[in-house]
Amino acid sequence: MLVLDNHSSHMATTERMRFLLQERVVIVDLLPNTTHTSMVLDLSVFGPFKQHLRKLYKERYEPTVNMDSQFLQMLSSAIKDTVREALVDDLLESE
């Protein structure tokens, strides 16, 4: 699941949308003026995800390779490594 607010920087290109669909990522758009309701996600999901994505970028970025393909690979890895774990942890804690 990819949760987006309505900021213009979160608009995906056609290639990125295809990738997200291929990876079975569900996109959820927050309604305007509701960002405050997602603050818990900032701490438990988005923060660790961003840290991991930055780490991957520093480790793997190759200036001579197409950035879109690199980004999509890093994004996929970051989603698998952080977001799914955070969601599973949250589910286990709620039981």
Side-chain angles (χ1 to χ4, degrees):
M1 179 183 324
L2 181 60
V3 181
L4 302 172
D5 62 18
N6 291 317
H7 194 273
S8 61
S9 67
H10 297 152
M11 302 306 263
T13 64
T14 303
E15 181 182 351
R16 289 184 183 133
M17 287 299 290
R18 279 192 201 116
F19 173 79
L20 293 170
L21 291 171
Q22 175 185 334
E23 292 294 316
R24 293 187 232 143
V25 174
V26 176
I27 300 172
V28 177
D29 287 319
L30 294 176
L31 296 171
N33 303 315
T34 60
T35 304
H36 65 282
T37 62
S38 68
M39 290 177 113
V40 172
L41 289 173
D42 286 335
L43 296 174
S44 64
V45 179
F46 301 147
F49 170 75
K50 288 178 188 178
Q51 288 175 349
H52 192 67
L53 190 58
R54 282 187 196 105
K55 179 183 168 202
L56 292 174
Y57 180 80
K58 288 177 184 177
E59 292 173 355
R60 299 184 186 177
Y61 176 66
E62 295 286 336
T64 58
V65 180
N66 179 296
M67 182 55 193
D68 274 353
S69 65
Q70 287 184 83
F71 175 76
L72 295 176
Q73 290 171 356
M74 288 184 252
L75 179 63
S76 176
S77 180
I79 289 170
K80 289 174 184 169
D81 295 344
T82 60
V83 175
R84 290 180 185 168
E85 287 178 20
L87 294 175
V88 169
D89 289 346
D90 287 348
L91 288 172
L92 292 175
E93 287 178 16
S94 67
E95 290 182 350

